[in-house]
């Protein structure tokens, strides 16, 4: 990433955190299109929640997927949740497990908790209470 892109990313993240979502989108969308995973994740969140633009679950899913494929933990967690609920895609428990497992490797408690519930319920994986309990403990429960 060059210096201009670093400045744009910092400006976009600052705008996002300050809830100036239109400005955030102006800074982050070119970076997202250029392949920056953090920008892709933030653009996805804006589309998912209608922040500064009209909510669009399909666009949110597409941006989450691009960031998740670059090993962005929060995007992997978000993508797993999209597969669980069918938000922006078809519901697919096995795909949810895949992405939540990848997110859990980043020590994200929310992903560990969701994955534990899937092991407990046998959704997308065989029921495995020992694995579920281990994941609950990892998530702090």
């Amino acid at each position: 990433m060059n210096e201009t892109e670093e400045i744009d990313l910092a400006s976009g993240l600052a705008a996002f955190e300050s809830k100036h979502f239109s400005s955030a989108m102006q800074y982050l969308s070119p970076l997202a299109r250029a392949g920056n995973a953090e920008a892709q994740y933030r653009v996805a969140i804006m589309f998912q929640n209608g922040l500064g633009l009209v909510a669009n679950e399909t666009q949110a899913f597409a941006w989450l997927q691009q960031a998740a494929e670059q090993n962005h933990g929060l995007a992997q967690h978000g993508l797993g949740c999209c597969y669980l609920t069918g938000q922006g895609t078809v519901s697919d428990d096995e795909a949810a497990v895949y992405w939540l497992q990848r997110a859990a490797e980043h020590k994200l408690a929310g992903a560990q908790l969701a994955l534990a519930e899937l092991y407990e319920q046998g959704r997308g994986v065989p029921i495995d209470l020992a694995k579920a309990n281990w994941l609950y403990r990892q998530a702090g429960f």
Side-chain angles (χ1 to χ4, degrees):
M1 185 168 9
N2 67 39
E3 187 175 339
T4 301
E5 291 171 332
E6 287 178 19
I7 292 169
D8 286 352
L9 180 60
S11 297
L13 295 177
F16 184 95
E17 295 301 327
S18 299
K19 300 183 183 195
H20 297 117
F21 298 113
S22 295
S23 294
M25 185 61 85
Q26 289 176 344
Y27 284 111
L28 296 175
S29 60
L31 297 171
R33 285 191 298 275
N36 182 286
E38 184 63 27
Q40 291 168 337
Y41 172 71
R42 299 298 178 116
V43 167
I45 295 304
M46 287 187 278
F47 273 114
Q48 192 171 43
N49 296 291
L51 303 174
L53 43 77
V54 175
N56 184 321
E57 291 180 357
T58 303
Q59 282 291 314
F61 178 83
W63 287 116
L64 280 174
Q65 187 169 35
Q66 288 183 51
E69 289 171 353
Q70 294 186 70
N71 203 32
H72 190 286
L74 291 171
Q76 291 168 337
H77 180 207
L79 194 61
C81 291
C82 285
Y83 277 116
L84 274 180
T85 62
Q87 185 179 29
T89 188
V90 296
S91 184
D92 183 337
D93 288 347
E94 290 178 14
V97 167
Y98 173 80
W99 287 109
L100 290 169
Q101 283 176 330
R102 294 199 50 198
E105 292 169 6
H106 292 274
K107 309 289 187 224
L108 296 174
Q112 293 166 332
L113 180 60
L115 193 55
E117 291 172 354
L118 294 177
Y119 275 101
E120 188 174 31
Q121 298 166 6
R123 288 184 58 192
V125 290
I127 291 176
D128 186 337
L129 298 181
K131 178 83 173 187
N133 287 330
W134 181 82
L135 285 161
Y136 281 128
R137 285 192 304 280
Q138 293 296 307
F141 288 90

